[in-house]
Amino acid sequence: MAALRRALLRLSLPRVRCFASAHRPNSLFSPLDDFAERHIGPDDHETATMLSHLGYNSMDAFVNETVPPKIRISAEQISNTTIPPFSESELLIRAKDLGALNKPYKSYIGMGYHCAVVPPVILRNVIENPQWYTPYTPYQPEIAQGRLESLINFQTMVMSLTSMDIANASLLDEATAAAEGMVMSFVSSGSRKRKFLVDSGVLPQTLAVLRTRAKGFDIDLVVANASLAIGDDALRRELCGALVQYPDVDGHVKDFSAFAESVHAAGALVVCATDLLALTMIKPPGEWGADIVLGNSGRFGVPAGYGGPHGAFFAVTDKLKRKMPGRLVGRSRDATGKPAYRLALQTREQHIRREKATSNICTSQALLANMAAMYAVYHGPIGLQRIAHKVHGFTQVFKHSVESLGYKVVNETFFDTVTVKVSAAKKLHDISVAAGINLRRIDESHVGVTFDESVSPRNLVDLINVFATASSSSPVSLHQLREPDALALPSSLVRTSAFLPHQVFNKHHSETEMLRYINHLVSKDVGLVHSMIPLGSCTMKLNSTTSMIPLTWEEYSCIHPFVPFDQVQGYHTVIKELEQDLARITGFHSTSLQPNSGAAGEYAGLCVIRAYHESREEGERDICLIPLSAHGTNPASAVMAGLKVVSVKVQDDGNLDLEDLRLKAEKYKDKLAAFMITYPSTFGVFEDGVQEACKIIHDNGGQVYLDGANLNAQIGLTNPATCGGDVCHMNLHKTFAIPHGGGGPGVGPICVAEHLAPFLPSHPLMPLGEKAIDAVSAGPFGSSSIHLISWAYIKMLGGQGLSNASKIALLNANYMASRLSGHYNLRYKNANGRVAHELLIDLAEFDKKAGLKVMDFAKRLQDYGFHPPTCSWPITTCMLIEPTESETLEEIDRFCDAMIQIRKEAEDVLTGAQPRDNNVLKNAPHPMNVMTLSDAEWNRPYSRRTAAYPLPYLEEKKFWPTVSRIDDAYGDLNLICDCPSVEEFATT
């Protein structure tokens, strides 16, 4: 019967393209929603076609000539036995079951985290919308104008609320932003003054991250009551900067204006950590003398998510703008003079400055920053003030109520937080937890209570009655509560200046208008919803809908990161399983999920190595060997960890120069701390000598840091431990399918060998062993909520699916290399003519012969509907192309056809058929406003059809850039990083 049923099914179905691994179910009871079949692009026929094109009759034969046999691992190590696969429906059931183990109690813990209310129009149309979460960082601004405008809104929001001159497009979290502020202060002193004062009211997680960062720069942290300590003359002589929290962790709202004057008189900078909602009511730091202002924008409509991700904000005075870390969006103009946005001042960034950089920031939190910006756009200044006044009013009602019950509130001034003196804190916590309420645990006689906009009148009554029960008093009811008649803020600190006067914050307040604005912006951007994004070293693969679904479930999204352990059993199961799977995949012993970007993972791994050497009384080991081909974050991370960078040569064939490595390892053998290597290399090849390189380092007393940016080429075939590494980081936003979000979030966990496991990062709210380094991010598990995505990805693919994904990623890249190699110079390949999961094509010949540069090819690709590959890295004349396993043969061929057609267009310039300075590449891209120029204005030696529809598929499916090529130099020379003012709108 089963055979007959299958035969009838075949007869009834039309001939269609199969799924990637369209194997028959094992039985009638097997699930039909196998994830691997949906995730892996090429079906079996397409896979066979590509193998045949390359001259192979089996996948094994192909892999054997691509991955060096000496580093291969057994297929049993990563298999369906070691990582059993879930179907998509099974995964969602499992996620729901684990979510039920979390207890979404009402938390009043505060400490920089809040239960944000996400407006449904933003929830559905931004965080749950792949048009927003699948694009890459806007390095190609002509096809990213939407999110660039939104990030300008974010910067403007921060500048206006803080009253600072300029703000960046977000950092990773508040604690690491504070560390960036500390290092800026140190650098601004000429790197001579080494004391940094931290007020005792600063968040504990921030202090922990500062300790970690200070060690690498040999900065001396002084933690004290800052207003008193600043009177110490000895401290003032060595002071580079000071950090204050405003309002502080216990809720106090202090006037720091006199303190700022004292710090400035000492020649130091004032760094202020603050709260955006509070700044709608209290005097902004820019008005009392702060030089750097930072904080967490999460309470502006971003879920708590057990610690993140959230977009940190960072603003500075004008004189510090060229030292500010992170991405900065600025206004410029395109080739027609039309205003346009772009990333500004990129020469500040680590990929340019390398070991001269003082920050390794390689990403921002663009998706979360855009959510916060949209929240401000939706509510506007009046709406934000209403929310702030309600939060402040509820805090006042609570204060008066508990004082009437006999409690003492320690802080008379506050915005949303009070510290309450109690007789028995443990008893109170027991009562509150029994009522489904979490308070901040301070000590045996104090508790903290922080309010946010999610607190309802019913919640307020329940909270007050916890204190009533603890004091054996009668419960209160809502009708007994009275509204306050005055603010609990010092009159000198009440905000009097206006904020957010810009049109964008005063227009889109109906849901209809907001919905249209969100979708208007996103219509300007290319994402994976449109086409392949073949960025080398970025692994822009499918971000599956199933893996994204649990992210916004209440049982995961509304949990404070510092709740008791027994309230987050579901989260901890996910985290533990992900840690174990990542360790298994990399071949290592232990995992830390705390680093919240790839660069943060590099930094954490190097800090772990330094701590290991110090534990062996070899703290003098401070040399880090790094190949010249390494990503710019590698040397920047090494410097941040307190290491000195020594470069290692690369041979003409792209391989590491093992003799130069050996020479330098032996030269520095008494000082050698680490060697950083990316594998496969940044040139897109598996190098044969990786194990020998690692042995050279170990023989000379060093540890090997293997950069896992290219791990997508390894899974099930080899692993960092087998290659010889001691520690590696992974980019969960690359290999393990967390969306890039238009420039963040990212996650960069590290896996380590057993001897390094005791040194993995700790956290003040969740301490580890005594050997552990201090925290590297604000949350104990970094950006906890998006760990769900990678957990789901691994569980749904299973071991075999993960291995197959890597094989197809290799196959897609090699097929693409074969198709393009007859038209472009393929720069590097192995002895068998194979590349790894990406390929490097060199365009130098076109520049020499026709003046055509890499960016001309990149901009022309936009006309074909593609986001360009990685440009001018790791070699300035090259494009680095990575198709990933998610793309079908049809899409790969479409990209190759586009590149080949552009090569023909370049040939017209080479032969003189098209002029060097006025051709279809130099003038690309061609937006609609250019295509509709009159015949008199169309001064180009090619037709409009050639410009817009060079290949037939574009007539059916065409993405139009909204601006012409943007003038980068003009934008940097005329730096404007906020929204147009009311006056500017009036004149236009």
Side-chain angles (χ1 to χ4, degrees):
M1 283 297 294
L4 176 61
R5 190 163 54 245
R6 287 194 294 270
L8 290 172
L9 183 63
R10 283 197 299 272
L11 290 172
S12 65
L13 288 175
R15 177 64 179 154
V16 295
R17 180 187 177 278
C18 298
F19 294 135
S21 308
H23 305 129
R24 293 172 182 162
N26 292 328
S27 76
L28 178 65
F29 305 106
S30 299
L32 297 178
D33 55 341
D34 179 78
F35 178 65
E37 295 182 357
R38 304 291 189 179
H39 174 75
I40 297 174
D43 63 20
D44 291 343
H45 173 72
E46 291 177 341
T47 298
T49 298
M50 287 190 284
L51 287 169
S52 176
H53 176 87
L54 295 172
Y56 299 101
N57 58 16
S58 72
M59 179 66 79
D60 286 343
F62 161 71
V63 172
N64 287 339
E65 291 202 345
T66 304
V67 185
K70 66 180 74 170
I71 63 168
R72 292 289 301 277
I73 60 174
S74 164
E76 285 71 38
Q77 286 187 240
I78 305 298
S79 66
N80 286 350
T81 300
T82 57
I83 305 178
F86 286 71
S87 71
E88 293 186 66
S89 56
E90 289 169 342
L91 186 283
L92 289 175
I93 292 170
R94 168 82 166 146
K96 185 62 75 172
D97 289 343
L98 291 178
L101 300 178
N102 296 329
K103 301 174 182 177
Y105 287 178
K106 195 65 190 168
S107 289
Y108 300 86
I109 298 170
M111 301 176 71
Y113 295 96
H114 306 85
C115 184
V117 175
V118 188
V121 67
I122 297 175
L123 178 73
R124 175 60 59 89
N125 294 286
V126 179
I127 194 172
E128 293 180 347
N129 184 350
Q131 287 184 276
W132 278 100
Y133 65 68
T134 65
Y136 187 63
T137 301
Y139 286 127
Q140 295 293 333
E142 297 85 0
I143 51 175
Q145 286 297 293
R147 63 188 182 279
L148 284 168
E149 180 176 329
S150 184
L151 290 172
I152 278 280
N153 293 345
F154 177 82
Q155 293 176 181
T156 303
M157 172 190 78
V158 172
M159 292 162 63
S160 185
L161 287 170
T162 61
S163 287
M164 297 298 285
D165 297 325
I166 193 167
N168 71 14
S170 74
L171 293 177
L172 300 177
D173 60 34
E174 180 172 333
T176 54
E180 297 289 348
M182 175 183 68
V183 175
M184 271 189 75
S185 300
F186 172 60
V187 172
S188 294
S189 76
S191 302
R192 293 188 299 272
K193 295 183 176 182
R194 296 193 174 273
K195 290 191 181 294
F196 187 77
L197 176 61
V198 182
D199 187 65
S200 52
V202 165
L203 302 174
Q205 66 269 25
T206 297
L207 180 58
V209 171
L210 288 173
R211 286 196 180 102
T212 310
R213 190 73 62 90
K215 188 171 183 179
F217 288 93
D218 195 23
I219 296 171
D220 181 12
L221 286 187
V222 179
V223 183
N225 182 318
S227 296
L228 297 177
I230 195 61
D232 184 338
D233 288 339
L235 171 64
R236 289 164 59 84
R237 282 193 295 271
E238 294 298 320
L239 190 68
C240 65
L243 171 66
V244 295
Q245 194 91 33
Y246 174 73
D248 74 11
V249 66
D250 295 324
H252 299 276
V253 181
K254 300 176 182 177
D255 188 344
F256 287 110
S257 55
F259 171 77
E261 289 179 5
S262 296
V263 172
H264 291 152
L269 299 181
V270 176
V271 185
C272 174
T274 190
D275 178 281
L276 291 179
L277 192 64
L279 294 183
T280 66
M281 293 185 65
I282 65 176
K283 189 174 184 178
E287 294 181 11
W288 53 251
D291 301 287
I292 301 169
V293 181
L294 55 91
N296 180 1
S297 68
R299 76 184 305 171
F300 274 28
V302 181
Y306 197 43
H310 304 120
F313 60 89
F314 195 92
V316 301
T317 57
D318 186 71
K319 68 179 181 181
L320 295 174
K321 66 187 177 187
R322 295 184 184 273
K323 296 179 182 178
M324 182 170 58
R327 301 229 167 93
L328 180 67
V329 180
R331 277 190 274 166
S332 186
R333 64 187 183 189
D334 74 359
T336 68
K338 181 179 177 181
Y341 298 110
R342 55 178 282 279
L343 293 178
L345 299 183
Q346 291 192 55
T347 52
R348 302 168 300 115
E349 296 193 34
Q350 44 68 34
H351 64 281
I352 303 292
R353 293 182 58 79
R354 297 178 67 84
E355 69 270 17
K356 295 179 182 178
T358 55
S359 171
N360 69 346
I361 290 293
C362 186
T363 191
S364 58
Q365 298 281 27
L367 183 64
L368 299 318
N370 283 328
M371 288 183 69
M374 291 297 183
Y375 179 94
V377 168
Y378 193 40
H379 288 296
I382 294 174
L384 292 176
Q385 279 191 320
R386 288 173 179 166
I387 294 168
H389 278 274
K390 185 169 185 176
V391 169
H392 184 61
F394 272 35
T395 313
Q396 289 177 281
V397 171
F398 171 77
K399 173 183 182 291
H400 296 150
S401 298
V402 296
E403 285 181 333
S404 71
L405 296 172
Y407 295 94
K408 169 67 175 175
V409 173
V410 174
N411 52 314
E412 287 299 320
T413 62
F414 54 84
F415 167 64
D416 64 359
T417 298
V418 292
T419 298
V420 185
K421 184 174 176 58
V422 299
S423 58
K426 184 181 184 305
K427 174 185 174 183
L428 185 62
H429 287 303
D430 290 343
I431 294 170
S432 71
V433 170
I437 290 172
N438 291 313
L439 307 174
R440 179 183 166 215
R441 299 167 185 257
I442 299 177
D443 56 35
E444 294 179 357
S445 57
H446 294 88
V447 299
V449 181
T450 297
F451 288 80
D452 55 51
E453 67 167 316
S454 72
V455 179
S456 68
R458 180 72 258 170
N459 296 145
L460 176 59
V461 171
D462 291 343
L463 176 63
I464 293 169
N465 283 332
V466 164
F467 286 78
T469 300
S471 64
S472 301
S473 303
S474 299
V476 302
S477 59
L478 184 60
H479 76 271
Q480 295 174 264
L481 305 181
R482 295 291 177 265
E483 294 189 24
D485 54 12
L487 301 178
L489 297 170
S491 59
S492 62
L493 292 179
V494 174
R495 182 166 192 147
T496 58
S497 56
F499 57 90
L500 302 182
H502 317 78
Q503 180 177 345
V504 71
F505 297 110
N506 293 277
K507 183 178 180 181
H508 308 288
H509 300 329
S510 74
E511 182 169 337
T512 302
E513 283 297 311
M514 190 66 191
L515 178 66
R516 289 171 181 164
Y517 181 63
I518 290 172
N519 285 284
H520 167 64
L521 291 190
V522 81
S523 70
K524 301 179 181 185
D525 294 5
V526 165
L528 287 172
V529 298
H530 299 99
S531 57
M532 176 200 308
I533 301 181
L535 284 155
S537 194
C538 298
T539 315
M540 299 292 292
K541 62 172 66 179
L542 170 73
N543 313 124
S544 77
T545 305
T546 299
S547 65
M548 294 293 292
I549 286 175
L551 191 64
T552 52
W553 288 348
E554 182 182 5
E555 52 264 51
Y556 291 108
S557 66
C558 295
I559 296 181
H560 194 285
F562 304 149
V563 300
F565 183 84
D566 63 355
Q567 294 179 21
V568 280
Q569 291 300 300
Y571 248 123
H572 281 272
T573 300
V574 169
I575 287 168
K576 193 66 178 176
E577 289 183 1
L578 179 58
E579 288 175 343
Q580 291 171 344
D581 285 342
L582 293 177
R584 181 176 291 109
I585 287 166
T586 59
F588 284 128
H589 180 273
S590 299
T591 305
S592 171
L593 295 173
Q594 195 178 120
N596 49 10
S597 77
E602 294 174 10
Y603 168 68
L606 293 172
C607 288
V608 164
I609 287 174
R610 291 220 71 184
Y612 166 74
H613 287 311
E614 288 168 1
S615 74
R616 293 160 54 88
E617 298 185 354
E618 294 183 343
E620 71 280 359
R621 290 188 176 273
D622 64 354
I623 296 295
C624 185
L625 302 180
I626 302 179
L628 289 168
S629 59
H631 194 281
T633 54
N634 285 183
S637 296
V639 169
M640 285 171 56
L643 299 171
K644 298 180 178 67
V645 174
V646 174
S647 297
V648 178
K649 296 177 183 177
V650 177
Q651 295 176 337
D652 290 341
D653 61 2
N655 288 325
L656 180 70
D657 189 328
L658 291 176
E659 288 309 308
D660 189 55
L661 178 69
R662 180 176 287 105
L663 178 69
K664 287 171 179 172
E666 292 174 354
K667 177 181 178 180
Y668 295 107
K669 65 180 180 180
D670 295 328
K671 300 267 292 177
L672 182 61
F675 169 54
M676 300 185 80
I677 184 172
T678 302
Y679 200 72
S681 77
T682 57
F683 294 147
V685 178
F686 283 100
E687 297 182 51
D688 282 333
V690 62
Q691 289 176 321
E692 182 181 352
C694 294
K695 184 176 186 302
I696 290 170
I697 299 303
H698 290 143
D699 288 348
N700 288 278
Q703 296 285 288
V704 175
Y705 178 94
L706 199 148
D707 186 316
N710 294 337
L711 189 67
N712 203 50
Q714 296 187 38
I715 302 179
L717 306 176
T718 184
N719 61 46
T722 298
C723 291
D726 300 288
V727 56
C728 78
H729 90 270
M730 294 145 287
N731 299 82
L732 297 192
H733 49 288
K734 296 182 182 180
T735 307
F736 298 102
I738 288 176
H740 282 72
V747 179
I750 56 172
C751 291
V752 299
E754 186 172 6
H755 64 282
L756 297 180
F759 306 96
L760 287 172
S762 184
H763 193 278
L765 278 300
M766 210 171 285
L768 298 179
E770 62 181 24
K771 291 184 178 181
I773 65 171
D774 270 315
V776 295
S777 74
F781 301 101
S783 298
S784 301
S785 66
I786 55 175
H787 297 333
L788 283 160
I789 301 169
S790 294
W791 169 79
Y793 171 84
I794 292 171
K795 292 304 183 189
M796 288 192 293
L797 276 179
Q800 187 61 56
L802 289 165
S803 180
N804 288 344
S806 287
K807 291 175 183 177
I808 295 296
L810 297 174
L811 179 62
N812 282 354
N814 276 275
Y815 173 80
M816 185 179 283
S818 176
R819 278 214 61 195
L820 295 180
S821 61
H823 307 275
Y824 295 95
N825 174 23
L826 181 64
R827 187 68 184 263
Y828 298 115
K829 50 193 175 183
N830 70 10
N832 300 315
R834 302 273 69 89
V835 298
H837 65 307
E838 56 192 1
L839 54 139
L840 196 65
I841 61 171
D842 197 338
L843 306 176
E845 61 179 296
F846 302 102
D847 189 8
K848 293 176 183 176
K849 298 176 182 177
L852 294 174
K853 300 185 181 299
V854 173
M855 206 52 69
D856 296 320
F857 287 81
K859 301 307 180 186
R860 183 56 176 155
L861 259 176
Q862 295 178 14
D863 285 328
Y864 287 78
F866 284 104
H867 190 294
T870 299
C871 295
S872 302
W873 187 86
I875 298 173
T876 57
T877 58
C878 290
M879 279 183 168
L880 186 64
I881 308 171
E882 181 183 1
T884 85
E885 71 276 11
S886 298
E887 303 300 339
T888 63
L889 177 58
E890 179 182 9
E891 181 73 353
I892 292 169
D893 277 336
R894 193 165 72 91
F895 175 81
C896 291
D897 290 344
M899 289 293 293
I900 291 167
Q901 184 67 21
I902 293 171
R903 173 63 180 83
K904 294 176 182 177
E905 294 171 345
E907 185 66 23
D908 285 343
V909 183
L910 289 169
T911 61
Q914 290 274 317
R916 288 170 65 103
D917 59 349
N918 184 18
N919 56 67
V920 74
L921 280 83
K922 284 292 183 184
N923 293 332
H926 297 81
M928 190 72 74
N929 67 309
V930 170
M931 298 304 300
T932 55
L933 290 173
S934 68
D935 290 342
E937 295 171 304
W938 183 263
N939 61 343
R940 305 173 187 223
Y942 49 89
S943 69
R944 289 178 177 82
R945 182 171 187 81
T946 297
Y949 301 108
L951 287 176
Y953 74 82
L954 291 164
E955 296 179 18
E956 178 186 352
K957 184 181 179 183
K958 170 76 176 176
F959 182 91
W960 290 94
T962 55
V963 294
S964 300
R965 192 177 307 195
I966 294 175
D967 188 336
D968 289 329
Y970 178 87
D972 281 353
L973 290 172
N974 302 273
L975 190 63
I976 303 173
C977 298
D978 59 355
C979 296
S981 66
V982 176
E983 293 79 8
E984 286 176 283
F985 268 112
T987 59
T988 56

